[in-house]
């Protein structure tokens, strides 16, 4: 197969930051995706409908001229969130979910929920008003190994939430383990999951073997090969519970390549090419459209897109850096300077 045309996809987990960083990165997502669930972990976090609407307008103002890209906004769940704000979110046409970050789990998560049990009244309100919960599924206790944090969160926390709130729609974000795949597969239809391109393509050797490679460092961290294989089987198996979420997370190159580099892989410029590579690796390109374009829209109760995009089999080299001379933003993408076998036709 030399060309693949699919319904235009959506990105159900995306970071675009704000300010000059936003203006530098938003075009990469807009050229591929029709819509994206935008994460709220700014500084300060987006915690109210009013803040989300202001952020949405900032994104729209930063889009390339003529772009039809639609940001789907989320709110950051905190200990100060109220049931009234959850109802406000349910009533707002532009807010689609709340994001649960366990405090300290990832970038800008310090304001996250420290005591899940104390947040149960909020989850009850979300269930009542039909607002989805998006979960960064890791414990943050220092005594737990970083490679085990997802499994422990599922066993200790997420399984209880699912039992306690059977009507709550939940997206387990950026799955990384075989245990997480099994959990989602065995749960009811109101539980879905996103999978990133880096977790489909790489195990932890990509980050650690032959020297530390900071641009492969993300949270949840890359795991062992058998976990990657489980994710690949889930993504390419046609199960509508699993859908595309890049978790593209732009950071300045200077902040990634330093003694305490930050977590996140910048994949927005090459997202569809990476997914195509992963699906092609197991002869499952025919399954990419469902995963990328259909299942996420169905889960969120949104119409599938009417347009199409085309990927061509063409070897090309990923730029070493995406730089904006006017703003000083310079971001190193995943696979910088390396070759890809597929290219989006625009």
């Amino acid at each position: 197969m030399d060309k693949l045309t699919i319904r235009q996809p959506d990105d159900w987990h995306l970071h675009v930051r704000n300010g000059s960083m936003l203006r530098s990165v938003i075009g990469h997502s807009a050229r591929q995706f029709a819509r994206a669930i935008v994460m709220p972990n700014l500084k300060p976090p987006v915690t109210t409908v009013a803040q989300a609407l202001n952020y949405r307008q900032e994104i729209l103002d930063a889009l390339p001229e003529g772009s039809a890209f639609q940001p789907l906004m989320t709110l950051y769940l905190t200990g100060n969130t109220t049931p009234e704000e959850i109802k406000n979110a349910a009533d707002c046409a532009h807010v689609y979910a709340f994001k649960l970050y366990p405090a300290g789990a990832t970038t800008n998560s310090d304001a996250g929920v420290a005591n899940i049990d104390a947040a149960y009244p909020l989850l009850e309100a979300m269930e009542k008003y039909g607002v989805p919960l998006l979960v960064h599924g890791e414990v943050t206790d220092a005594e737990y190994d970083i490679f085990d944090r997802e499994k422990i969160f599922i066993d200790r926390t997420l399984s209880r939430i699912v039992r306690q709130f059977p009507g709550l729609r939940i997206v387990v974000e950026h799955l990384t383990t075989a245990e997480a795949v099994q959990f989602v597969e065995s749960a009811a239809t109101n539980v879905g999951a996103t999978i990133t391109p880096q977790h489909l393509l790489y195990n932890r050797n990509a980050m650690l073997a032959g020297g530390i490679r900071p641009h492969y460092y993300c949270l949840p961290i890359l795991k062992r090969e058998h976990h990657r294989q489980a994710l690949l089987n889930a993504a390419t198996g046609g199960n509508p519970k699993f859908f595309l979420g890049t978790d593209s997370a732009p950071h300045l190159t200077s902040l990634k390549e330093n003694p305490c580099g930050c977590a996140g892989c910048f994949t927005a410029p090459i997202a569809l090419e990476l997914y195509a590579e992963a699906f092609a690796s197991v002869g499952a390109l025919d399954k990419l459209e469902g995963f990328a374009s259909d299942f996420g829209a169905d889960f969120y109760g949104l119409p599938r897109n009417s347009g199409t995009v085309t990927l061509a089999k063409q070897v090309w080299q990923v730029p070493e850096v995406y730089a904006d001379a006017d703003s000083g933003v310079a971001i190193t993408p995943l696979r910088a300077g390396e070759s890809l076998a597929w290219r989006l036709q625009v």
Side-chain angles (χ1 to χ4, degrees), residues 177-344:
T177 61
E179 291 85 359
V181 168
Q182 184 178 28
F183 177 83
V184 173
E185 287 176 338
S186 63
T189 56
N190 58 302
V191 178
T194 58
I195 307 178
T196 77
Q198 63 265 26
H199 291 106
L200 287 178
L201 286 169
Y202 306 112
N203 61 38
R204 61 190 187 179
N205 284 349
M207 179 180 58
L208 298 171
I212 294 176
R213 303 173 73 187
H215 298 289
Y216 287 78
Y217 172 54
C218 58
L219 291 172
I221 202 163
L222 297 175
K223 304 297 197 299
R224 291 180 180 272
E225 176 62 12
H226 80 272
H227 294 300
R228 187 189 74 83
Q229 289 289 340
L231 295 173
L232 192 57
N233 290 338
T236 61
N239 187 331
K241 284 173 162 284
F242 302 101
F243 38 91
L244 184 155
T246 64
D247 194 21
S248 179
H251 294 281
L252 294 175
T253 298
S254 59
L255 296 180
K256 288 288 287 181
E257 299 175 0
N258 73 37
C260 188
C262 47
C265 297
F266 182 50
T267 56
I270 54 172
L272 286 182
E273 289 92 339
L274 291 173
Y275 281 113
E277 181 177 309
F279 277 66
S281 72
V282 291
L285 281 171
D286 61 313
K287 302 293 188 181
L288 181 58
E289 183 174 56
F291 175 82
S293 310
D294 298 343
F295 301 155
D298 296 347
F299 185 90
Y300 278 91
L302 295 172
R304 296 177 179 182
N305 299 315
S306 58
T308 61
V309 297
T310 297
L311 289 153
K313 200 167 187 180
Q314 175 188 340
V315 176
W316 65 288
Q317 190 173 57
V318 179
E320 293 281 357
V321 67
Y322 287 90
D324 183 339
D326 294 333
S327 66
V329 170
I331 315 167
T332 300
L334 197 71
R335 294 281 283 272
E338 299 180 26
S339 294
L340 292 177
W342 292 87
R343 191 162 199 178
L344 183 67

Side-chain angles (χ1 to χ4, degrees), residues 41-43 45 76-78 101-114:
N41 58 331
L42 304 182
K43 284 188 173 182
Y76 194 121
L77 193 70
T78 76
Y101 291 101
T106 189
T107 302
N108 297 343
S109 63
D110 293 344
V113 174

Side-chain angles (χ1 to χ4, degrees), residues 19-53:
S20 58
M21 179 70 82
L22 164 64
R23 293 188 293 273
S24 297
V25 304
I26 189 63
H28 295 300
S29 294
R31 67 187 282 271
Q32 301 175 71
F33 301 107
R35 301 168 291 203
I37 287 282
V38 177
M39 293 295 108
N41 58 331
L42 304 182
K43 284 188 173 182
V46 179
T47 59
T48 68
V49 168
Q51 291 170 342
L53 293 178

Side-chain angles (χ1 to χ4, degrees), residues 19 69-70 75 117 134 149 152 215-216 253 292 310 322:
F69 177 83
Q70 288 296 310
L75 301 186
D117 291 346
L134 315 183
R149 289 179 177 180
I152 294 169
H215 298 289
Y216 287 78
T253 298
T310 297
Y322 287 90

